């Protein structure tokens, strides 16, 4: 999306992921919808959503009828273990890419560490942490803008 197609910047993608996390549904579907809408309007949003959902729907529907037959097979169980490990690698890769574009100052590192600590050690819902980060960003931008203007005079 960013490197191959140029449909969004790293910052846009990070924003879409954040919004996708806050809105109901799967992050990949929400993100695809945002990007499709941004690049081609309503029809692009619909096409991108269907492009993400439809292949999975076909595969899941096809496998649902036969998976119970193979569920006890040792090779199938081992294959799923490998798939889960691969998914972890894919998620880690996405985290590293987002880290490079999102955590680029002492302020963003502080926000990240606070969010990480609060999410790991408290029961605060993630949506509240995201809202708090949004408010912090707005306040920080407003204060930074004032300091920049005061320094110019």
């Amino acid at each position: 999306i960013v490197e191959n197609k140029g449909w969004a910047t790293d910052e846009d993608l990070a924003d879409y992921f954040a919004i996708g996390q806050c809105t109901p549904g799967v992050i990949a579907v929400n993100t695809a919808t945002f990007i499709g809408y941004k690049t081609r309007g309503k029809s692009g949003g619909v096409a991108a959503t269907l492009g993400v959902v439809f292949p999975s729907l076909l595969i899941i529907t096809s496998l649902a009828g036969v998976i119970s037959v193979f569920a006890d097979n040792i090779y199938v169980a081992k294959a799923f273990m490998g798939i889960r490990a691969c998914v972890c690698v894919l998620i880690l890769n996405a985290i590293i890419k987002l880290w490079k574009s999102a955590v680029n100052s002492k302020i963003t590192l502080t926000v990240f560490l606070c969010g990480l600590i609060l999410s790991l050690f408290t029961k605060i819902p993630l949506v509240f942490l995201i809202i708090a980060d949004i408010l912090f960003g707005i306040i920080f931008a407003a204060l930074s803008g004032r300091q920049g203007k005061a320094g110019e005079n």
Side-chain angles (χ1 to χ4, degrees):
I1 292 169
V2 173
E3 295 170 8
N4 294 341
K5 300 291 184 183
W7 292 338
T9 65
D10 286 328
E11 293 79 21
D12 289 339
L13 193 58
D15 292 343
Y16 294 151
F17 284 152
I19 293 167
Q21 179 74 31
C22 294
T23 54
V26 180
I27 295 172
V29 174
N30 295 341
T31 304
T33 304
F34 292 137
I35 292 170
Y37 183 80
K38 179 185 174 197
T39 58
R40 298 278 191 244
K42 291 179 185 176
S43 61
V46 170
T49 302
L50 291 175
V52 171
V53 172
F54 197 65
S56 299
L57 180 66
L58 287 177
I59 292 168
I60 290 169
T61 303
S62 301
L63 290 176
V66 297
I67 196 75
S68 61
V69 175
F70 298 106
D72 295 330
N73 185 306
I74 187 72
Y75 298 109
V76 172
K78 297 291 182 183
F80 279 120
M81 279 181 27
I83 290 169
R84 284 193 298 269
C86 183
V87 168
C88 290
V89 170
L90 293 173
I91 292 170
L92 181 61
N93 188 29
I95 290 169
I96 290 168
K97 286 184 178 185
L98 282 172
W99 173 273
K100 290 177 182 177
S101 67
V103 182
N104 52 17
S105 70
K106 289 180 183 177
I107 296 293
T108 55
L109 178 62
T110 302
V111 170
F112 167 78
L113 291 174
C114 289
L116 178 65
I117 290 167
L118 288 171
S119 70
L120 291 176
F121 298 110
T122 70
K123 295 189 185 286
I124 298 172
L126 290 178
V127 68
F128 293 139
L129 294 176
I130 292 169
I131 290 169
D133 287 341
I134 290 169
L135 293 174
F136 176 80
I138 291 169
I139 292 167
F140 180 75
L143 293 175
S144 296
R146 278 195 210 151
Q147 290 175 352
K149 289 179 183 177
E152 292 172 1
N153 293 335

